[in-house]
Amino acid sequence: MSEDRTLAQSLRVQRCPECGSSRVMKDSEYAEIVCMDCGFVIDAKLTDRGPEWRAFDQEQRDKRTRVGAPLTYTIHDKGLSTMIDWHDRDVYGRRIPADQKAQVYRLRKWQRRIRVSNATERNLAFALSEISKISNALNLPKNILETASVIYRKAVRERLIRGRSIQGVTAAALYMACRQCSVARTIDEIAEVSGVDKKEVGRSYRFLVKELDFFVPPLTPSQYITKFSNQLAMQGKADEIAHKTLTSARTLKLTSGRGPTGIAAAASYIASVLTGERKTQREIAEIAQVTEVTIRNRYKELVERLWFIISL
DNA sequence: AAGACGAAAGTGGTTGA
DNA sequence: TCAACAACTTTCGTCTT
């Protein structure tokens, strides 16, 4: 009974948080819940972590509990590592008799060999550590790391890594994960910390999107606005105004075809002026990675069309 | 003197023949 | 594959605060 309930709870996802579609499907082969309309990966680890037994008293609980680290996709064997340590001692700390030492040594050797057995495993182990490194450097949340790991595993399974640099693909997978989770990070930032050429990251990214048949929702300026106001240390009020400016701009069709960073930067600039905590164009340009000229152009367009809305 | 403004030329990526 | 194209950048001179 409780088994059914916990499973149902873990699968109770009715709507895609990204596009609101109710066509949500469980892809058990890849252990994902995926939105059928926009491709958003709603949940990537369909492991039922709840206990599949019931315990009526402490004794039963102790008896039935099994202990283990949670599964993670960020370690090449999903965290299911067993290591035989190098002490020649048994579980009670007693020395192992000489005639068994050779056997323990052999076991240890094979354990090591099995863990990272072939080239694919080594590749995976290296790539996943690389992903962790980059995501740590960028202070990315853990779910991004997991998503990126899943994407990379998928790429490996589809044999897409051949002929491509591991670093390039890891960076691309991470960028993809950011996009999937609506975390505004530019290719530049990822290229910077991963030490991979920006073009290479972009190429790999496009390749992955095409081959894995992913639909990646386009980055919206509003995601950048949140990021910018954080970096500019602006107050919530300014953030709010910037978002409002943006929605008006969208209804006036001023956003299509324009780079989202430029629009977000301009909206942030307008907000900074309106709230009185004025930031220079250069400051914002620096953070937004666009030029002052672009901010000025967007700003001009926005003000021309929006001033009457604001004055109303 | 710093910041804002805008013109003009240059750059990298996309599109359509 | 190539030219046309729009968005964006770089550069630089001028105006404003």
Side-chain angles (χ1 to χ4, degrees):
Chain A
M1 183 200 97
S2 79
E3 183 179 339
D4 288 346
R5 218 189 57 229
T6 47
L7 201 63
Q9 276 171 347
S10 70
L11 291 178
R12 196 177 298 153
V13 180
Q14 316 91 329
R15 289 204 173 273
C16 169
E18 193 65 13
C19 67
S21 163
S22 56
R23 298 180 59 220
V24 164
M25 203 194 78
K26 180 183 157 199
D27 182 345
S28 43
E29 190 185 342
Y30 291 145
E32 289 173 352
I33 300 180
V34 181
C35 171
M36 298 298 286
D37 282 321
C38 70
F40 186 77
V41 179
I42 297 158
D43 196 351
K45 293 168 303 191
L46 281 184
T47 315
D48 178 16
R49 294 199 199 68
E52 57 214 66
W53 38 262
R54 285 192 295 169
F56 296 100
D57 55 36
Q58 190 58 45
E59 193 193 339
Q60 284 188 2
R61 203 183 306 277
D62 289 342
K63 238 187 209 160
R64 292 176 183 177
T65 302
R66 289 153 300 179
V67 178
L71 272 178
T72 173
Y73 279 84
T74 60
I75 302 175
H76 79 281
D77 53 13
K78 301 185 188 175
L80 292 170
S81 340
T82 297
M83 285 307 290
I84 300 177
D85 68 18
W86 47 270
H87 297 287
D88 286 330
R89 306 258 170 175
D90 66 13
V91 273
Y92 303 110
R94 287 190 298 251
R95 288 198 156 277
I96 289 170
D99 58 335
Q100 283 180 25
K101 266 192 180 171
Q103 196 184 356
V104 171
Y105 177 77
R106 263 206 321 281
L107 278 173
R108 209 155 35 216
K109 189 163 78 184
W110 280 104
Q111 169 67 27
R112 254 201 334 271
R113 286 186 185 171
I114 288 164
R115 196 163 118 82
V116 184
S117 51
N118 51 35
T120 316
E121 287 285 298
R122 260 200 305 279
N123 178 325
L124 202 56
F126 176 65
L128 294 178
S129 81
E130 201 65 18
I131 290 178
S132 313
K133 217 185 293 171
I134 303 171
S135 92
N136 281 337
L138 287 173
N139 284 323
L140 292 171
K142 201 140 189 181
N143 63 327
I144 301 266
L145 210 164
E146 292 275 342
T147 309
S149 304
V150 171
I151 292 171
Y152 191 86
R153 281 169 186 281
K154 228 175 199 178
V156 169
R157 196 159 34 222
E158 309 261 335
R159 317 217 167 280
L160 302 176
I161 315 291
R162 272 267 154 92
R164 237 159 269 279
S165 79
I166 295 176
Q167 268 124 347
V169 181
T170 51
L174 205 58
Y175 178 64
M176 211 156 149
C178 289
R179 295 287 298 264
Q180 284 274 308
C181 301
S182 298
V183 172
R185 286 294 124 88
T186 55
I187 289 188
D188 290 85
E189 285 173 277
I190 289 172
E192 174 102 12
V193 297
S194 64
V196 182
D197 185 50
K198 184 190 156 193
K199 274 189 193 166
E200 168 75 20
V201 180
R203 243 205 324 271
S204 303
Y205 168 67
R206 277 193 301 275
F207 179 76
L208 283 184
V209 170
K210 200 176 82 214
E211 294 295 324
L212 293 179
D213 237 357
F214 259 54
F215 174 80
V216 184
L219 273 179
T220 61
S222 69
Q223 289 154 17
Y224 282 111
I225 285 181
T226 312
K227 184 185 173 200
F228 294 163
S229 10
N230 279 335
Q231 293 184 345
L232 287 165
M234 297 209 296
Q235 285 159 21
K237 184 85 183 151
D239 190 52
E240 195 188 318
I241 292 177
H243 276 105
K244 274 189 185 153
T245 311
L246 181 66
T247 34
S248 316
R250 203 159 21 219
T251 56
L252 289 170
K253 305 244 188 301
L254 283 177
T255 52
S256 71
R258 306 283 146 82
T261 42
I263 297 169
S268 298
Y269 178 65
I270 291 174
S272 85
V273 173
L274 288 180
T275 52
E277 46 177 331
R278 199 179 179 113
K279 302 275 187 272
T280 65
Q281 293 180 354
R282 188 170 305 155
E283 269 180 284
I284 296 175
E286 179 102 10
I287 286 169
Q289 304 270 319
V290 292
T291 56
E292 301 156 62
V293 182
T294 305
I295 294 183
R296 279 202 288 276
N297 290 336
R298 292 295 87 77
Y299 163 71
K300 211 172 60 183
E301 287 172 0
L302 287 172
V303 169
E304 268 172 23
R305 309 284 288 278
L306 290 176
W307 69 270
F308 59 91
I309 292 181
I310 293 168
S311 66
L312 280 176

